[in-house]
């Protein structure tokens, strides 16, 4: 690596987590094409991920002054500027039992509970765009982790409308099979018969496919998958893929085949990221290859408004163009994919298209999932804005002052209180105004 790229890693990694493994370095990155190789940009920090003044200040502190206290202060200020927990994760998604918050859980949508095992709080390699970067940088007051499933099971027993548990992190498949089994087996108990789907959110399918093929306990892992399926549950591996190159390797393809051979499903999802996967042909190849191997294209997400989002984000209009172009290249079997979708404060909002009504150019939008189930699949419109990159930036169409999901009580001109609220209240919340990127989304 040239000296300037080495310097960027040394400086920026004080703010954002950096980790790479042998497989990513040797099999996925084209070292003759750095820094423009997409996987290099996906894994290695770049100086433009910080504001120019921030980089120069931190560079001076790290390379020359070497003042640990000043470095820590500067790093904290930058991290807090980066909206470390978007979409109400800390304020509106944490459930309570007996008026006590459950630290390792999130419950945003009534059907699905997210569970963060403490032993799955890292990844095989870190994505520079990751919206869960606070999990990895020592911001313990903003970390979700649970050491065991007792509180999760107790919570699920009293919430019979929950059908899905998503085990996430970090990456739960960083754990060995024995540890993962300890978190999954309690969910197979007869008293949790209402739990129909167990999901595992993982990037290992792209960053360490050996986990399913050649690791010393990979066969044990597949037997665990089979046991979950035999118990009558749907086991869904939520595979995070960011570029077609991640599924070209023979090891990655063998991993997909072995996963689906157990009766588990593998769903493919990932964000659209500037500098990395703007080419529709890459998405089309990814989805088509996945379908051939037995995977299911699921989501193309819009890059969230957190971390170095200014470096990675694309205008929503451009995101829709890329999605539409890729969608046109694939057969109906790949058109299970949905997007581009924003996981914003009120829910998952998909851009259905750009339309003209009464001479006004508009975004056509709808909720695929929402805090209030009544909002789901309810079309709504926003004025077309060629520069908007997130829901916050959009203005209601037809002269309306608010979107239908915005309440009169919460106008968004003051920050959210730093508190945990009961999930029953969160489900009834009428959403946060889209005027403040650091609170509403």
């Amino acid at each position: 690596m040239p000296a300037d790229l080495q310097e960027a890693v040394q400086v920026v990694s004080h703010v954002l987590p950096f980790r790479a493994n042998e497989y990513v370095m040797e099999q996925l990155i084209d070292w003759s094409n750095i820094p423009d190789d997409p996987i290099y940009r996906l894994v290695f920090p770049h100086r433009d991920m910080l504001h120019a003044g921030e980089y120069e200040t931190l560079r001076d502190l790290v390379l020359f002054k070497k003042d640990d206290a000043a470095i820590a202060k500067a790093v904290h200020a930058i991290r807090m500027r980066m909206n470390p927990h978007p979409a109400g994760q800390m304020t509106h998604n944490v459930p309570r039992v007996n008026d006590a918050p459950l630290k390792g859980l999130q419950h945003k949508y009534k059907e699905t509970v997210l569970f963060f095992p403490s032993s799955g709080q890292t990844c095989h390699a870190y994505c520079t765009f990751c919206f869960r970067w606070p999990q990895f940088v020592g911001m313990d007051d903003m970390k979700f982790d649970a050491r065991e499933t007792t509180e999760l099971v107790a919570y699920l027993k009293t919430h019979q409308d929950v059908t899905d548990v998503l085990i996430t992190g970090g990456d739960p498949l960083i754990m060995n099979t024995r540890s993962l089994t300890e978190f999954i087996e309690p969910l197979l108990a007869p008293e949790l018969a209402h739990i129909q789907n167990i999901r595992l959110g993982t990037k290992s399918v792209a960053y360490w496919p050996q986990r399913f093929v050649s690791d010393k306990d990979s066969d044990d892992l597949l037997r665990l998958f089979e046991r979950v399926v035999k118990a009558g549950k749907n086991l869904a591996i939520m595979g995070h893929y960011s570029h077609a190159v991640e599924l070209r390797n023979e090891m990655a393809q063998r991993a997909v085949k072995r996963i689906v051979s157990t009766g588990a499903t593998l769903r493919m999802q990932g964000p659209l990221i500037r500098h990395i996967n703007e080419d529709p042909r890459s998405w089309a190849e990814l989805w088509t290859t996945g379908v051939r191997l037995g995977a299911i294209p699921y989501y193309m997400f819009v890059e969230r408004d957190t971390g170095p989002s200014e470096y990675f984000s694309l205008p929503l209009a451009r995101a829709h163009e890329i999605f539409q172009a890729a969608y046109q290249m694939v057969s109906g079997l790949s058109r299970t994919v949905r997007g581009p979708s924003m996981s914003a404060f009120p829910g998952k909002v998909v851009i259905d298209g750009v339309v003209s009504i009464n001479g006004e150019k508009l975004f056509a939008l709808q909720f695929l999932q929402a805090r209030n189930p009544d909002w789901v699949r309810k079309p709504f419109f926003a004025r077309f804005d060629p520069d908007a990159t997130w829901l916050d930036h959009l203005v209601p169409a037809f002269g309306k002052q608010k979107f239908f999901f915005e309440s009169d009580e919460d106008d968004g001109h003051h920050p959210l209180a730093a508190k945990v609220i009961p999930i029953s209240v969160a489900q009834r919340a009428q959403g946060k105004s889209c005027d403040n990127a650091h609170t509403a989304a």
Side-chain angles (χ1 to χ4, degrees), residues 88-94 107 345 371 416 419 421 423 426 429:
Q89 290 186 97
M90 294 295 293
T91 57
H92 285 67
N93 294 359
V94 180
H107 192 174
F345 179 85
R371 291 184 184 276
L416 288 168
K419 63 181 181 180
I421 67 170
I423 189 64

Side-chain angles (χ1 to χ4, degrees), residues 302 313-319 342 351 363 382-395:
V302 175
S313 61
L314 285 163
L316 299 177
R318 178 63 181 145
M342 294 174 277
I351 305 163
F363 284 117
R383 294 181 200 167
F384 180 81
D385 182 344
D387 300 317
T389 60
W390 195 247
L391 184 64
D392 288 15
H393 305 156
L394 300 181
V395 176

Side-chain angles (χ1 to χ4, degrees), residues 288-365:
T288 301
T289 304
V291 166
R292 176 173 59 81
L293 297 170
I296 304 167
Y298 189 49
Y299 268 118
M300 175 198 280
F301 288 112
V302 175
E303 167 62 3
R304 289 198 182 194
D305 59 332
T306 183
S309 58
E310 295 166 343
Y311 180 81
F312 287 125
S313 61
L314 285 163
L316 299 177
R318 178 63 181 145
H320 179 261
E321 289 175 358
I322 294 170
F323 178 84
Q324 187 178 38
Y327 202 78
Q328 292 173 351
M329 297 178 190
V330 300
S331 76
L333 292 178
S334 295
R335 292 183 179 178
T336 51
V337 67
R338 298 175 290 182
S341 173
M342 294 174 277
S343 290
F345 179 85
K348 287 187 173 72
V349 178
V350 68
I351 305 163
D352 273 336
V354 177
V355 300
S356 292
I357 300 177
N358 296 329
E360 186 177 359
K361 192 174 183 180
L362 308 169
F363 284 117
L365 309 160

